[in-house]
Amino acid sequence: MTPETFDAAKVDTMIDKYGNDPSSLILVMQDIQSEYRFLPHEALAYLGEQLDVPMSRIYNVATFYKTFSLQPKGKHLVHVCMGTACHVRGAKRILDELSRALDTKPGDTTPDGEITLETVNCVGACALGPIMVVDGKAHGVTVSSAKEILADCKHD
Ligand code: FES
């Protein structure tokens, strides 16, 4: 399992932080997502046992919120905004160029596990668009600056 092996003690620490109660479910899932960059099945199964929450409910939560992922994410998250304002300013071309440069489709992660490329709909910085968000930081970009930011990100 990437990037780290499931560690029950780590999940126990997360549970202790919020309380061993079914109402802590989403908070602990957020911590698991942040620790592993996705929700490993083993961690969810362990969490379900500890909080006495059925797996069906856990998977409902995991698939309902976009912030959760059941697939491993890359070390770096790259989002291209495809909202209307960014779209009319050339976001599609930015996305196509990044997709080509990474040899990865939107929604996928590079085989080396470094970068996940995704789309997002408006991050509230329309005037600066097209917008590319790298690890939570928004940049107004051109095709060439987007590729430069990507190159910098790969060297981190
Ligand atoms: S449409 Fe891209 S930031 Fe609003």
Side-chain angles (χ1 to χ4, degrees), residues 42-99:
E42 296 90 331
L44 295 182
Y46 183 76
L47 179 62
E49 273 172 30
Q50 300 307 305
L51 298 186
D52 196 21
V53 175
M55 285 307 280
S56 57
R57 169 148 165 66
I58 293 179
Y59 274 95
N60 276 344
V61 171
T63 52
F64 182 79
Y65 293 100
K66 216 171 175 232
T67 171
F68 293 131
S69 172
L70 294 168
Q71 301 299 324
K73 297 266 185 180
K75 191 166 138 199
H76 299 288
L77 285 180
V78 174
H79 287 92
V80 177
C81 178
M82 299 303 286
T84 307
C86 289
H87 185 78
V88 299
R89 289 169 180 236
K92 175 78 169 73
R93 187 155 169 245
I94 304 281
L95 182 64
D96 288 347
E97 291 289 337
L98 294 184
S99 190

Side-chain angles (χ1 to χ4, degrees), residues 80-87 91 120-131:
V80 177
C81 178
M82 299 303 286
T84 307
C86 289
H87 185 78
V120 66
N121 283 319
C122 195
V123 295
C126 310
L128 303 173
I131 296 289

Side-chain angles (χ1 to χ4, degrees), residues 68-156:
F68 293 131
S69 172
L70 294 168
Q71 301 299 324
K73 297 266 185 180
K75 191 166 138 199
H76 299 288
L77 285 180
V78 174
H79 287 92
V80 177
C81 178
M82 299 303 286
T84 307
C86 289
H87 185 78
V88 299
R89 289 169 180 236
K92 175 78 169 73
R93 187 155 169 245
I94 304 281
L95 182 64
D96 288 347
E97 291 289 337
L98 294 184
S99 190
R100 198 178 349 263
L102 291 170
D103 197 17
T104 296
K105 294 193 306 287
D108 284 352
T109 299
T110 53
D112 60 6
E114 280 291 304
I115 295 176
T116 297
L117 178 64
E118 292 185 335
T119 59
V120 66
N121 283 319
C122 195
V123 295
C126 310
L128 303 173
I131 296 289
M132 167 185 184
V133 182
V134 179
D135 297 330
K137 186 169 178 217
H139 306 264
V141 292
T142 59
V143 167
S144 65
S145 70
K147 284 182 172 174
E148 280 169 25
I149 291 168
L150 191 65
D152 286 349
C153 167
K154 280 198 216 164
H155 292 131
D156 277 353

Side-chain angles (χ1 to χ4, degrees), residues 23-60:
S23 65
S24 303
L25 181 68
I26 293 179
L27 294 171
V28 180
M29 285 173 71
Q30 283 174 336
D31 279 9
I32 292 173
Q33 171 78 42
S34 157
E35 174 73 26
Y36 295 100
R37 303 201 300 267
F38 79 115
L39 298 171
H41 174 79
E42 296 90 331
L44 295 182
Y46 183 76
L47 179 62
E49 273 172 30
Q50 300 307 305
L51 298 186
D52 196 21
V53 175
M55 285 307 280
S56 57
R57 169 148 165 66
I58 293 179
Y59 274 95
N60 276 344

